[in-house]
Amino acid sequence: MNGIVRSVLRATSVRNVLSSCGSNSSQHIRTLWNVCGRRQTAEIAPFISSLDLHNIRTRRCYSRSHTKAEKELVEFLAEEIIAEKKAQKLKMIPTEIEGFKVSLNGAEVNLKKRDDTDTIHISFNVNHTVDADTDEDLNSNSDNVEIGEMKSKPTFTVDIIRGDQTLGFTCSFNNQPGASGADDNYNDIFGIDEISLYEGKHSDKVYSVAGEIIDGYLYDLLMNYLEEKGVSNEFAEKLIELSTCYEHTAYVSLLEGLSKFTSGK
């Protein structure tokens, strides 16, 4: 009898426990499952991630085989980059020259400043502008020919903007001082190649005249006008320095990019 009573009481206790849990039982089970699931995920995820990372690195390292030419090119570029960086005169490109603010965009260089009435805008491109300084007295038949310093001497435009009108000059550096000047007595290191005057934006419809065919006195007056606007021989010398340094920096960047491209990094 006592055994029967204990069995009944035990069954009643179990029913009471289950009824007290009621609708919350499934929630407790889900909570316990979620906790265990998150713990297992946290323990397994790093292991899976490390395997994936290893596979990615392996595929990257062995995605392509380097040819003999590529290996030789990479080895040469490593030495060439070091040598070119040592030869750089300026590590930083100046942001201002003679009051002109300098801005860079790829191979394009722009300089701009304002005076009382006008905006003066100078622009040039450093591509294909490098040449070695030559000496007239250099004997080409000599065995000890020394190559002059490499300098960038780009053709550049000077736009003097007043309102909606623009007076435009295309200028280039002379191989010899005074070469393009109307008067041989002048020692200009650059000359006027072309002159134009237009409203709005420039187009092929705008008339322009070559500097070498205009009146000599007019040419001299225009050179004086450019000097008053800040485009003097001294400024032109600094323009050469700027262009040379920036072109060299662009060349080093090209070598570094070529090295990365060839090595597959």
Side-chain angles (χ1 to χ4, degrees), residues 140-191:
S140 59
N141 296 324
S142 174
D143 294 334
N144 298 321
V145 176
E146 293 185 1
I147 300 176
E149 182 182 1
M150 304 297 287
K151 290 187 177 182
S152 172
K153 297 181 178 181
T155 297
F156 60 96
T157 61
V158 181
D159 291 330
I160 301 173
I161 305 168
R162 181 179 300 171
D164 193 42
Q165 281 193 316
T166 300
L167 175 59
F169 298 88
T170 301
C171 303
S172 61
F173 290 98
N174 304 322
N175 293 328
Q176 303 171 21
S180 65
D183 191 333
D184 292 337
N185 294 325
Y186 288 100
N187 203 33
D188 297 320
I189 66 171
F190 73 96

Side-chain angles (χ1 to χ4, degrees), residues 60-107:
R60 181 183 298 174
C61 293
Y62 297 98
S63 60
R64 62 192 298 270
S65 59
H66 296 296
T67 65
K68 179 182 178 182
E70 287 174 331
K71 291 179 180 178
E72 291 177 348
L73 183 57
V74 170
E75 291 173 358
F76 173 80
L77 286 171
E79 297 178 358
E80 185 71 3
I81 290 170
I82 293 174
E84 290 294 337
K85 285 186 174 181
K86 287 182 179 179
Q88 282 182 309
K89 292 185 176 181
L90 292 179
K91 303 301 180 183
M92 297 292 294
I93 305 299
T95 58
E96 184 174 333
I97 296 178
E98 297 288 323
F100 285 87
K101 301 291 184 181
V102 179
S103 61
L104 310 171
N105 183 18

Side-chain angles (χ1 to χ4, degrees), residues 5 50 55 70 79 126 163 170 180 184 190 196 199 228 265:
V5 172
S50 62
N55 291 336
E70 287 174 331
E79 297 178 358
V126 298
T170 301
S180 65
D184 292 337
F190 73 96
S196 61
E199 293 185 359
E228 285 186 352
K265 292 183 179 180

Side-chain angles (χ1 to χ4, degrees), residues 122-138:
I122 300 172
S123 62
F124 61 88
N125 189 301
V126 298
N127 288 340
H128 314 297
T129 60
V130 176
D131 199 359
D133 281 348
T134 57
D135 189 347
E136 292 182 26
D137 299 329
L138 190 65

Side-chain angles (χ1 to χ4, degrees), residues 5-32:
V5 172
R6 282 196 296 271
S7 298
V8 172
L9 291 175
R10 187 181 300 114
T12 303
S13 299
V14 171
R15 283 196 299 270
N16 290 336
V17 171
L18 292 176
S19 62
S20 65
C21 293
S23 60
N24 294 331
S25 60
S26 59
Q27 182 177 356
H28 293 320
I29 293 173
R30 283 196 298 270
T31 302
L32 181 60

Side-chain angles (χ1 to χ4, degrees), residues 42-54:
E43 293 174 353
I44 295 173
F47 178 71
I48 296 176
S49 299
S50 62
L51 287 177
D52 290 341
L53 182 60
H54 174 73

